[in-house]
């Protein structure tokens, strides 16, 4: 099993697709956003710093993300492959990630860039709801991805919440950050011949089919 990395703008469907990959391939899903949201709940200096940064849509300091990622990748469950989402998010982070992988004896694997246009992202961002328990993702603006009962998770019955950076103002900052800082890493991975671009302006099922094909043909 090769490792998998997603590169995509906010609300492009990375989290939803990662869940489907986990279900089929039983590898851990490492999302820096999820890890940071957990730390943001802590009543500490770092918790407050992360909560404020997340709410603004800006990026958290590199040194913090490097420590979190290295610590997580050292865990045993990553030995047979993992899916990383939300990291790296800048060229500096990609260069550091290459070093971390080398140190741990891992390969970058398949890098998948999910391309979605800005208008679609804006529509998705305001409708996104996440289960506070199992992290399943819904969209109340799309009948196909809406929960059966409002605010209740279909999977585990947990309560659904709206991320406090899922508003149009924070979206503009996050999207701008993506264009400026994250997009340049696409070329970095193209140069390593590990990147595949896919069209994410499609249904969840069709996008997953394309991802699944990349994973299953590259073993
Ligand atoms: P996400 O869940 O991937 O949309 O990430 C939510 C927020 O977490 C981002 O807008 C950033 O504030 C922060 N974040 C996630 N990953 C990183 C990263 N690799 N570097 C810096 N900040 C990050």
């Amino acid at each position: 099993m090769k490792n998998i990395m997603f590169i995509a703008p906010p609300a492009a469907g990375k989290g939803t697709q990662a869940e489907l990959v986990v279900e089929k391939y039983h590898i851990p899903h490492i999302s820096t956003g999820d890890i940071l949201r957990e730390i943001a709940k802590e009543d500490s200096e770092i918790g407050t710093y992360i909560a404020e940064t997340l709410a603004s849509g800006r990026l958290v300091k590199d040194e913090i993300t490097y420590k979190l990622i290295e610590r997580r990748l050292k865990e045993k469950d990553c030995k047979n492959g993992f899916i990383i989402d939300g990291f790296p998010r800048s060229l500096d982070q990609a260069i550091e990630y290459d070093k971390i992988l080398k140190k741990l004896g891992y390969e970058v694997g398949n890098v998948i860039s999910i391309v979605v246009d800005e208008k679609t992202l804006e529509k998705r961002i305001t409708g996104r709801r996440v289960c506070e328990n199992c992290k399943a993702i819904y969209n109340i603006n799309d009948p196909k991805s809406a929960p059966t009962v409002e605010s209740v998770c279909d999977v585990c019955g947990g309560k659904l919440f709206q991320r406090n950076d899922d508003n149009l103002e924070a979206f503009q900052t996050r999207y701008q950050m993506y264009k400026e800082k994250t997009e340049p890493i696409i070329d970095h991975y193209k140069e390593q011949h590990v990147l595949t671009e896919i069209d994410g302006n499609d249904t969840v099922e069709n996008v997953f089919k394309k991802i699944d094909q990349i994973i299953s043909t590259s073993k």
Side-chain angles (χ1 to χ4, degrees), residues 10 14 31-34 36-37 53-54 57-62 65 85-89 93 128 163 165 174:
K14 285 175 297 177
S31 152
T32 39
D34 283 349
L36 291 168
R37 275 185 286 280
T53 309
L54 259 61
R58 283 175 286 118
L59 296 182
V60 167
K61 284 187 197 124
D62 284 345
T65 62
D85 132 33
F87 185 90
R89 243 179 165 95
Q93 290 190 1
R128 173 156 62 184
R163 284 170 44 170
D165 58 348
R174 290 159 69 200

Side-chain angles (χ1 to χ4, degrees), residues 6-206:
F6 282 156
I7 303 176
K14 285 175 297 177
T16 304
Q17 294 300 328
E19 275 177 39
L20 297 171
V21 173
V22 170
E23 211 173 284
K24 178 154 184 188
Y25 292 95
H26 309 289
I27 53 173
H29 171 207
I30 302 170
S31 152
T32 39
D34 283 349
I35 299 173
L36 291 168
R37 275 185 286 280
E38 282 306 310
I39 304 174
K41 291 179 190 163
E42 287 171 15
D43 184 14
S44 62
E45 202 178 319
I46 181 136
T48 310
Y49 159 73
I50 291 177
E52 284 172 4
T53 309
L54 259 61
S56 73
R58 283 175 286 118
L59 296 182
V60 167
K61 284 187 197 124
D62 284 345
E63 308 79 64
I64 296 177
T65 62
Y66 298 161
K67 277 197 196 123
L68 294 173
I69 282 297
E70 186 166 346
R71 193 162 65 196
R72 182 65 187 88
L73 291 178
K74 276 184 178 158
E75 287 178 34
K76 271 203 197 104
D77 64 343
C78 294
K79 291 241 163 358
N80 297 320
F82 54 84
I83 172 160
I84 191 152
D85 132 33
F87 185 90
R89 243 179 165 95
S90 64
L91 200 51
D92 282 348
Q93 290 190 1
I95 292 165
E96 184 64 23
Y97 184 55
D98 290 347
K99 288 186 198 156
I100 295 173
L101 290 174
K102 203 169 167 194
K103 191 155 94 182
L104 300 177
Y106 290 146
E107 282 184 11
V108 66
N110 286 308
V111 179
I112 302 174
S113 157
I114 309 174
V115 183
V116 181
D117 63 67
E118 191 179 350
K119 283 283 157 245
T120 307
L121 297 171
E122 278 184 9
K123 217 168 84 191
R124 288 188 189 169
I125 212 102
T126 51
R128 173 156 62 184
R129 299 291 182 274
V130 186
C131 173
E132 62 180 17
N133 179 42
C134 75
K135 309 277 186 286
I137 301 162
Y138 299 88
N139 199 304
I140 59 166
N141 292 341
D142 174 6
K144 282 197 200 141
S145 350
T148 315
V149 180
E150 204 189 305
S151 305
V152 179
C153 178
D154 287 354
V155 181
C156 74
K159 207 171 138 207
L160 304 184
F161 74 99
Q162 181 171 27
R163 284 170 44 170
N164 62 358
D165 58 348
D166 277 351
N167 58 71
L168 287 180
E169 199 191 340
F171 169 76
Q172 291 308 335
T173 308
R174 290 159 69 200
Y175 190 68
Q176 198 187 332
M177 289 281 149
Y178 177 77
K179 290 295 227 189
E180 256 173 49
K181 306 230 174 184
T182 311
E183 261 188 1
I185 71 177
I186 291 179
D187 282 342
H188 176 77
Y189 290 112
K190 269 188 186 157
E191 281 161 21
Q192 295 186 20
H193 308 289
V194 289
L195 185 122
T196 314
E197 233 160 36
I198 60 168
D199 181 4
N201 298 290
D202 204 341
T203 61
V204 170
E205 295 75 23
N206 287 342

